[in-house]
Amino acid sequence: MTEQAGEAVPAAQRGSWTSFLKSIASFSGDLSSMTAPPFILSPVSLTEFPAYWCERPELFAAIGDAKTDEDRALAVLKWFISTLKGQYTSRNESMGSEKKPLNPVLGELFYGKWPDVHGRGQTDLLVEQVSHHPPITAYVIENKTKGIRLVGHNAQKTSFSGGSIIVKQIGHAILAVTLPSGGQQEFLITLPRLRIDGLWYGSPYIELAETSHIVGGGFISLVEYKGKGYFSGKSHSFKATVTPTPGTSGQEHVVEGTWHQSSKFAKGKHGDFHDVLGAKEEVTAIGMGPKGEMGEFETRKLWAAVAKGIREGDFETASKEKGRIENEQRQRRKDEAAAGTTWPMKHFKHIESDPVYERLGKLAKIAPPTEDAYVFQGNWPAPTPA
């Protein structure tokens, strides 16, 4: 049977989907500024996406338990590969296809945690939307018991090519690990490029492309992403090569498999490497009001009416509420411009050049040689009553 354009789209929405595709094809510039048809919207804001970094908190905690630099580098890689399924395929599983997340407002916040289970320690999450034009999300994830902190930021530049949306992810993350000796190791983590296919049929899905790096602790991990027909003939295939930096002892390791399922060692160590076929552990959202309630800028309260409309198929209400929020934000920016003020960041400080990125990036000849960053100010909110 020949697949028809928009056949995965609700019948009542096919006209708007066709118009949207035509708009994409003729649009020049960053596609993130375009308004998508309501049925393709996710009920979740981008400020919740950093939680995907830790939906397997036991693997994040295990980094702190590694005894050697080599084992630690492999533990970081295992954790990183295990985050990719949540980050890039979970919407297909829960919603039927990839959806466009809600574009956060400036100053939007999300707080959450994964509780201590079996002595792994509690892991805390803090996210702040630090820029709206362009949209930039900064985040910190920390397990104080294990001495691990991840700080990063993420933005996207999107374009249309060959029937697919190409997403260049901008930003990086720095993972800091406190060693038993009291010293600290830092790992630079860069992000893969994305290709969103399946648009013609109204059923988008993500494939990762090109490469990403993890650099630190005396090792460089190069992760190569390939779609169907390269390494294994399967979608979501990858190959990760872990090599010691010059002057560091250790052997080379190669891991191959599919990042949304499982992988094995192909060189170096033997046996299974990662497996994400089991259940994930979603973050517990936390309100930071005096009694644990959510404030007006906390994402699940801010977008509650929009999310309800999307989930219930009431796209008219979702669109109306979304427009109300966006208009309020436009007015805030106008008022600030008139007063000569700017919105202050709550938890982060912007720096033009990240010295850790520069130092570690040189080891793998990562481009660009410098990149800005958002430095966490260490001001975790006070715990709220249980």
Side-chain angles (χ1 to χ4, degrees):
M1 181 183 293
T2 303
E3 291 180 302
Q4 300 297 314
E7 69 172 18
V9 176
Q13 301 285 337
R14 285 180 186 164
S16 63
W17 181 247
T18 302
S19 298
F20 181 57
L21 289 181
K22 289 178 180 177
S23 298
I24 290 176
S26 60
F27 190 81
S28 60
D30 191 343
L31 296 178
S32 63
S33 62
M34 293 187 69
T35 301
F39 73 88
I40 202 67
L41 287 177
S42 164
V44 178
S45 167
L46 264 177
T47 51
E48 293 201 37
F49 276 43
Y52 291 128
W53 282 108
C54 208
E55 288 190 324
R56 298 182 189 275
E58 71 284 354
L59 296 182
F60 188 66
I63 295 168
D65 295 331
K67 302 301 182 187
T68 67
D69 291 347
E70 191 167 337
D71 286 346
R72 195 172 299 110
L74 290 171
V76 173
L77 176 64
K78 182 177 181 178
W79 157 74
F80 173 77
I81 295 297
S82 297
T83 71
L84 300 177
K85 178 181 180 180
Q87 297 201 59
Y88 304 117
T89 69
S90 61
R91 273 85 57 196
N92 289 65
E93 295 175 358
S94 63
M95 304 179 200
S97 70
E98 185 60 39
K99 304 290 186 183
K100 183 181 186 297
L102 297 168
N103 194 13
V105 306
L106 182 61
E108 188 172 324
L109 300 163
F110 183 57
Y111 304 105
K113 68 175 182 180
W114 292 267
D116 181 5
V117 177
H118 304 308
R120 72 184 183 198
Q122 178 172 303
T123 304
D124 297 303
L125 167 71
L126 182 159
V127 187
E128 180 178 359
Q129 190 69 12
V130 293
S131 173
H132 186 67
H133 292 298
I136 301 173
T137 308
Y139 53 87
V140 56
I141 300 173
E142 184 170 26
N143 183 324
K144 293 179 181 176
T145 301
K146 297 293 184 178
I148 312 167
R149 177 187 283 185
L150 179 78
V151 180
H153 72 281
N154 187 237
Q156 298 86 25
K157 283 190 176 179
T158 52
S159 58
F160 187 71
S161 176
S164 301
I165 292 177
I166 308 301
V167 182
K168 179 183 180 183
Q169 297 203 90
I170 298 167
H172 63 275
I174 302 295
L175 179 71
V177 183
T178 300
L179 305 178
S181 63
Q184 188 179 75
Q185 280 186 351
E186 293 170 313
F187 296 83
L188 166 64
I189 301 169
T190 65
L191 307 170
R193 191 164 289 205
L194 317 180
R195 191 181 72 241
I196 303 177
D197 295 323
L199 294 170
W200 180 250
Y201 309 108
S203 184
Y205 65 92
I206 288 176
E207 187 61 85
L208 303 187
E210 300 186 15
T211 61
S212 69
H213 288 85
I214 302 173
V215 185
F219 288 82
I220 297 171
S221 296
L222 171 65
V223 186
E224 302 172 82
Y225 305 94
K226 301 292 183 182
K228 192 172 182 178
Y230 285 82
F231 296 127
S232 66
K234 297 178 181 178
S235 298
H236 307 329
S237 297
F238 80 95
K239 176 182 178 182
T241 305
V242 183
T243 54
T245 55
T248 302
S249 62
Q251 62 176 324
E252 180 179 274
H253 301 274
V254 177
V255 175
E256 294 183 1
T258 51
W259 47 261
H260 70 308
Q261 294 176 327
S262 61
S263 61
K264 295 183 176 182
F265 282 100
K267 184 180 179 181
K269 289 193 174 185
H270 301 283
D272 295 336
F273 183 66
H274 99 292
D275 185 329
V276 289
L277 297 176
K280 62 184 180 181
E281 189 176 336
E282 294 192 4
V283 67
T284 299
I286 303 172
M288 285 301 165
K291 298 180 180 179
E293 73 275 16
M294 292 189 177
E296 64 172 322
F297 275 87
E298 292 187 51
T299 184
R300 292 192 182 178
K301 181 173 182 179
L302 178 71
W303 295 105
V306 178
K308 184 173 185 287
I310 292 171
R311 289 191 173 102
E312 295 177 355
D314 183 357
F315 300 124
E316 183 178 348
T317 296
S319 183
K320 179 181 175 182
E321 288 295 321
K322 182 170 176 287
R324 178 186 61 79
I325 293 170
E326 291 168 345
N327 287 334
E328 285 179 358
Q329 290 301 305
R330 291 188 191 101
Q331 188 59 50
R332 283 180 187 266
R333 303 291 85 81
K334 289 178 182 178
D335 293 344
E336 289 167 0
T341 61
T342 56
W343 182 268
M345 282 182 265
K346 188 178 182 73
H347 296 292
F348 295 88
K349 180 181 179 182
H350 182 249
I351 57 173
E352 291 295 335
S353 181
D354 183 347
V356 181
Y357 176 97
E358 285 190 44
R359 172 170 54 85
L360 295 176
K362 286 178 184 176
L363 298 174
K365 297 181 172 63
I366 292 172
T370 64
E371 195 166 87
D372 68 343
Y374 291 84
V375 179
F376 178 53
Q377 298 301 287
N379 54 343
W380 287 99
T384 53

